[in-house]
Amino acid sequence: MVDVLLGLQWGDEGKGKIVDFFAKDYDLIARFQGGPTAGHTIYVGDKKIVLHQIPSGVFHQNAINLIGNGVVLDPVTLKKEWATVTSFGADVKKNLFISQRAHLILPTHRALDKAAELSKGNQKIGSTLKGIGPTYMDKTGRNGLRVGDLLDKNFTTSYIKLRLKHQRLLDNYNFQEDITSWEEEFFEAVENLRELNIVNGEYFINKHISQGKKVLAEGAQGSMLDIDFGTFPYVTSSSTISAGVCNGLGVAPQHIREVYGVTKAYCTRVGGGPFPTELENETGEELRKIGNEFGATTGRPRRCGWIDLVALKFACMINGVTSIVMTKADVLDSFRELECSTAYSINGVETDEVPFQMERQRPVPIYKKFPGWNTPTNAAKSYAELPDTMKTYVQFINQYLGVPVQYISNGPGREQIIRVND
Ligand code: GDP
Ligand code: IMO
Ligand code: MG
């Protein structure tokens, strides 16, 4: 049995915290897509850790962790992350497994990411520049190198062949940066990666499923960054939605049970691209300040706005969301009035559907207003303790989406989460 937990917005919904909270009930936590993404934040005691590639279950003794075939893996980031989690007591050699089919991010993929982004000028995507896009391009272009290839004696020859191909592309971009030190780091990190448990991921996970083990698939980024259904071209390069679990881990659809969708009580986006409910005003500033909406790794300010129910309903539909986890509800504690978009107006025509092309069609949100609760909620431990005004807000969202909000997260800490109706 596989449950899925993924982001319903543009990433950074708090997935790491929720996976860490759920992990105690699972035997295996698996990442199915993405690469060294912006970062999943978790707290171990009062210590903050930002994970990029290692699944967020790594601090739980009861669970093992798998980096699935759908992930693109950077050995350099993995080496650094390995050191960090080890210093917090995790035993990566024992509880991390890596699919041999996961594609490798090479130093030249990072260089290509940077060169491509620079060439886009003011239409840049705001990529994390971790080489994710170029690595997926090499996967679908049938050029890439995979983790399993590291165990082949001809790995270096294959690397050099691909590197030469990349160099021609970099020359086209007139990319001048010297990446020798990146390559040195890469080959050192590759040695470390060879020491880890490299497995046939699809057999590994299916054996666990057939033994009755509980698997939690952890999404990265968010549904609106999905390569097919996101705000293309301002998206990432993988299937961030629940369908990505099947091809990113090699599990059949009938094994999927719950799909937990994580959304903030408002909305944020990092990088470029359409964001209909963005607030480029004092309210947006306020959300950024109170929500500490700055990138987990880069510190980039996140764009902030009201919750967008049109986009959320679309995300629930394409993912088959069965339960919603609403995070950062406490961030709204001091707002006198809240707004939710319930429809878009496109060229004067009202619709409750996400258009194919938001950049040209520029949907204008139509809002419903709610009174704020103006009460601190971060110490609440049960649904009964939450203010009625918050319950009204949550119930409206339930009804609009047709999917229940099952958990409300009211602070970054592990224990700050409330089961609705408990
Ligand atoms: P992820 O990428 O989806 O895992 O999310 P990030 O870790 O990038 O960003 C979420 C941020 O919000 C982190 O700094 C979390 O510590 C924090 N966070 C998560 N849940 C809550 C919450 O309910 N309330 C508050 N105030 N912060 C939260
Ligand atoms: P987590 O997993 C938020 C955004 C980037 C950029 C676009 C493409 O922490 O939620 P890419 O690096 O794939 O070329 O970036 O997607 N982006 C994220 N935004 N959270 C993330 O990850 C993200 N990963 C990528 O800012 O706009
Ligand atoms: Mg993040």
Side-chain angles (χ1 to χ4, degrees), residues 194-375:
R194 286 193 178 110
E195 289 173 31
L196 292 178
N197 302 301
I198 297 174
V199 295
N200 186 324
E202 55 281 17
Y203 281 106
F204 183 84
I205 198 162
N206 279 293
K207 273 183 194 149
H208 279 81
I209 294 169
S210 60
Q211 286 164 4
K213 302 275 195 235
K214 290 178 75 183
V215 178
L216 182 64
E218 172 180 2
Q221 297 138 338
S223 303
M224 298 306 286
L225 288 169
D226 180 78
I227 183 70
D228 283 278
F229 300 103
T231 45
F232 190 87
Y234 300 93
V235 293
T236 189
S237 302
S238 64
S239 274
T240 59
I241 63 169
S242 55
V245 172
C246 295
N247 58 12
L249 291 174
V251 300
Q254 62 268 35
H255 292 308
I256 296 179
R257 195 183 61 169
E258 298 287 336
V259 179
Y260 294 100
V262 188
T263 172
K264 283 178 186 167
Y266 49 98
C267 193
T268 65
R269 170 163 207 172
V270 228
F275 178 3
T277 59
E278 181 172 17
L279 296 167
E280 291 178 283
N281 57 16
E282 269 175 29
T283 312
E285 273 302 326
E286 205 64 5
L287 284 169
R288 187 174 306 114
K289 206 170 82 204
I290 302 173
N292 192 21
E293 294 297 354
F294 298 90
T297 309
T298 58
R300 271 198 290 181
R302 295 178 183 146
R303 298 157 63 193
C304 296
W306 296 124
I307 197 165
D308 182 346
L309 296 185
V310 181
L312 265 186
K313 193 164 185 169
F314 170 77
C316 287
M317 173 180 78
I318 58 178
N319 283 299
V321 172
T322 56
S323 291
I324 294 201
V325 182
M326 178 182 282
T327 57
K328 305 192 88 159
D330 55 300
V331 172
L332 300 182
D333 283 355
S334 58
F335 287 79
R336 300 220 153 268
E337 192 168 62
L338 310 174
E339 299 187 33
C340 288
S341 90
T342 54
Y344 293 152
S345 166
I346 300 177
N347 298 324
V349 179
E350 198 174 310
T351 174
D352 60 359
E353 294 189 0
V354 170
F356 136 81
Q357 224 293 354
M358 283 208 196
E359 202 182 12
R360 289 194 297 272
Q361 294 183 312
R362 293 187 175 274
V364 178
I366 297 169
Y367 288 110
K368 179 172 168 60
K369 292 186 186 199
F370 289 85
W373 38 92
N374 278 289
T375 321

Side-chain angles (χ1 to χ4, degrees), residues 10-12 15 37-40 125-128 221 235-236 270 300:
W10 280 279
D12 300 330
K15 300 174 293 292
T37 54
H40 295 184
I125 290 167
S127 164
T128 56
Q221 297 138 338
V235 293
T236 189
V270 228
R300 271 198 290 181

Side-chain angles (χ1 to χ4, degrees), residues 43-318:
Y43 279 85
V44 178
D46 57 356
K47 296 266 174 10
K48 176 174 158 171
I49 301 173
V50 181
L51 295 170
H52 301 276
Q53 299 185 122
I54 297 179
S56 303
V58 70
F59 293 106
H60 292 263
Q61 302 302 327
N62 56 291
I64 52 171
N65 298 273
L66 173 69
I67 296 179
N69 58 280
V71 171
V72 289
L73 187 70
D74 183 351
V76 178
T77 313
L78 185 66
K79 184 181 168 196
K80 289 183 191 148
E81 224 172 319
W82 178 359
T84 311
V85 300
T86 303
S87 72
F88 282 90
D91 188 349
V92 165
K93 275 198 172 171
K94 201 171 118 214
N95 78 5
L96 180 67
F97 297 81
I98 302 171
S99 165
Q100 55 195 4
R101 291 181 192 268
H103 276 246
L104 288 167
I105 300 181
L106 309 185
T108 38
H109 285 131
R110 280 159 57 203
L112 282 166
D113 215 356
K114 203 167 168 185
E117 193 70 338
L118 273 173
S119 76
K120 289 196 163 114
N122 62 7
Q123 288 193 313
K124 72 176 189 203
I125 290 167
S127 164
T128 56
L129 303 180
K130 297 287 166 53
I132 294 172
T135 308
Y136 278 115
M137 280 166 75
D138 267 343
K139 176 178 177 174
T140 48
R142 298 164 296 178
N143 293 310
L145 294 173
R146 300 181 291 175
V147 170
D149 296 330
L150 291 175
L151 307 177
D152 184 276
K153 62 179 184 336
N154 294 322
F155 176 74
T156 311
T157 315
S158 311
Y159 174 88
I160 292 168
K161 233 170 102 184
L162 187 54
R163 200 226 181 279
L164 283 173
K165 209 175 223 170
H166 289 165
Q167 192 56 52
R168 284 195 288 277
L169 294 171
L170 289 168
D171 291 345
N172 260 343
Y173 281 120
N174 199 20
F175 185 83
Q176 304 284 353
E177 223 171 297
D178 179 9
I179 60 162
T180 317
S181 64
W182 294 11
E183 290 196 288
E184 283 166 6
E185 248 186 347
F186 175 79
F187 277 101
E188 264 174 44
V190 154
E191 289 308 318
N192 289 76
L193 177 48
R194 286 193 178 110
E195 289 173 31
L196 292 178
N197 302 301
I198 297 174
V199 295
N200 186 324
E202 55 281 17
Y203 281 106
F204 183 84
I205 198 162
N206 279 293
K207 273 183 194 149
H208 279 81
I209 294 169
S210 60
Q211 286 164 4
K213 302 275 195 235
K214 290 178 75 183
V215 178
L216 182 64
E218 172 180 2
Q221 297 138 338
S223 303
M224 298 306 286
L225 288 169
D226 180 78
I227 183 70
D228 283 278
F229 300 103
T231 45
F232 190 87
Y234 300 93
V235 293
T236 189
S237 302
S238 64
S239 274
T240 59
I241 63 169
S242 55
V245 172
C246 295
N247 58 12
L249 291 174
V251 300
Q254 62 268 35
H255 292 308
I256 296 179
R257 195 183 61 169
E258 298 287 336
V259 179
Y260 294 100
V262 188
T263 172
K264 283 178 186 167
Y266 49 98
C267 193
T268 65
R269 170 163 207 172
V270 228
F275 178 3
T277 59
E278 181 172 17
L279 296 167
E280 291 178 283
N281 57 16
E282 269 175 29
T283 312
E285 273 302 326
E286 205 64 5
L287 284 169
R288 187 174 306 114
K289 206 170 82 204
I290 302 173
N292 192 21
E293 294 297 354
F294 298 90
T297 309
T298 58
R300 271 198 290 181
R302 295 178 183 146
R303 298 157 63 193
C304 296
W306 296 124
I307 197 165
D308 182 346
L309 296 185
V310 181
L312 265 186
K313 193 164 185 169
F314 170 77
C316 287
M317 173 180 78
I318 58 178

Side-chain angles (χ1 to χ4, degrees), residues 6-35:
L6 43 72
L8 296 179
Q9 299 169 311
W10 280 279
D12 300 330
E13 296 90 348
K15 300 174 293 292
K17 171 192 155 154
I18 307 301
V19 171
D20 176 53
F21 170 75
F22 279 3
K24 60 184 181 313
D25 299 325
Y26 289 88
D27 304 298
L28 173 59
I29 316 293
R31 276 277 310 270
F32 60 94
Q33 49 70 234

